Amino acid sequence: MSQKQQDLLETGRLEYLQALVTEFQVTESPDAKEQVLANLANFAYDPKNYEYLRQLQVLDLFLDMLTEDNETLVEFAIGGLCNLCLDKINKDYILEADGVAPVINCLSSSNEETVMSAVTTLMYLTTPQSRQQTTALPVVECMLRFSLSANRRLSNLARVFLEDYCSPDQVEEARNLSKHTAVGIPLPKD
């Protein structure tokens, strides 16, 4: 492929993503919003799209959608963030935008895919600087409860989180606290 063809393809990609963002912003239809957000989340899989998605402020769009009442929008938004946060620039942006707290809030969703994406996103967002927030005591308590879930995917993912991202002291402290309180994030429905 010639450079001119490649440039044309890249311009087309940006224009298409811009059209999706515009459609999301102007449509009144909840179904259309869900479909467009699902498409944007799918485009977030491809590192070739990262720069365009940053340019179009799709990371902010995903972060904003985490607080929506529509569970489907939340599911697609956290899925999109999960896809994007492996990239260092995107990860730093999400962390600087105080994105950890809304991701943690997704742990209480009744939607299994939302919870799975939230746990995975917390793993990807964990850095030496963010570890205190991503592995805060309520998160560790939640992961302990998830590790006991009948849902194998969730219990396995929670165990990986506890083993790979938390210190033994954090896990022990959460275990001890859990014995004495009934407070916690509810498990998603199986």
Side-chain angles (χ1 to χ4, degrees):
M1 183 181 303
S2 73
Q3 185 61 45
K4 186 175 181 175
Q5 288 172 319
Q6 200 167 8
D7 291 345
L8 190 57
L9 181 64
E10 296 303 313
T11 301
R13 184 184 303 248
L14 177 60
E15 287 171 357
Y16 182 73
L17 291 170
Q18 175 66 71
L20 284 175
V21 171
T22 301
E23 183 180 348
F24 183 85
Q25 292 168 337
V26 300
T27 188
E28 296 295 320
S29 164
D31 290 341
K33 276 196 179 301
E34 289 173 5
Q35 187 172 358
V36 171
L37 202 63
N39 284 330
L40 287 169
N42 284 335
F43 278 102
Y45 273 115
D46 189 345
K48 290 180 184 176
N49 297 323
Y50 290 171
E51 179 60 38
Y52 302 129
L53 294 171
R54 283 192 293 267
Q55 217 176 313
L56 298 170
Q57 298 177 322
V58 173
L59 283 93
D60 291 318
L61 176 65
F62 287 154
L63 287 167
D64 290 345
M65 291 299 104
L66 294 183
T67 58
E68 284 294 308
D69 291 333
N70 179 327
E71 270 294 325
T72 305
L73 289 177
V74 174
E75 175 187 343
F76 294 144
I78 190 67
L81 284 174
C82 187
N83 292 337
L84 288 169
C85 67
L86 277 174
D87 176 76
K88 182 176 178 1
I89 296 170
N90 294 338
K91 178 190 307 199
D92 290 345
Y93 185 88
I94 294 165
L95 292 172
E96 288 168 21
D98 295 322
V100 173
V103 171
I104 289 171
N105 289 339
C106 289
L107 295 174
S108 64
S109 174
S110 60
N111 179 314
E112 175 187 335
E113 293 307 316
T114 298
V115 173
M116 297 292 292
S117 291
V119 174
T120 306
T121 301
L122 286 173
M123 291 175 169
Y124 293 158
L125 289 176
T126 300
T127 66
Q129 295 76 28
S130 68
R131 183 173 301 277
Q132 186 174 3
Q133 195 176 8
T134 60
T135 64
L137 191 56
V139 175
V140 180
E141 281 184 280
C142 181
M143 294 304 159
L144 280 170
R145 288 195 358 274
F146 287 168
S147 72
L148 303 174
S149 171
N151 179 323
R152 301 273 298 175
R153 288 175 59 216
L154 181 58
S155 65
N156 288 341
L157 189 60
R159 284 188 194 112
V160 169
F161 186 95
L162 291 167
E163 291 171 13
D164 292 357
Y165 295 88
C166 303
S167 71
D169 290 342
Q170 284 177 301
V171 174
E172 190 59 33
E173 182 181 0
R175 270 200 183 98
N176 290 334
L177 192 60
S178 294
K179 291 176 190 174
H180 304 292
T181 67
V183 176
I185 300 169
L187 287 171
K189 295 177 180 87
D190 288 330

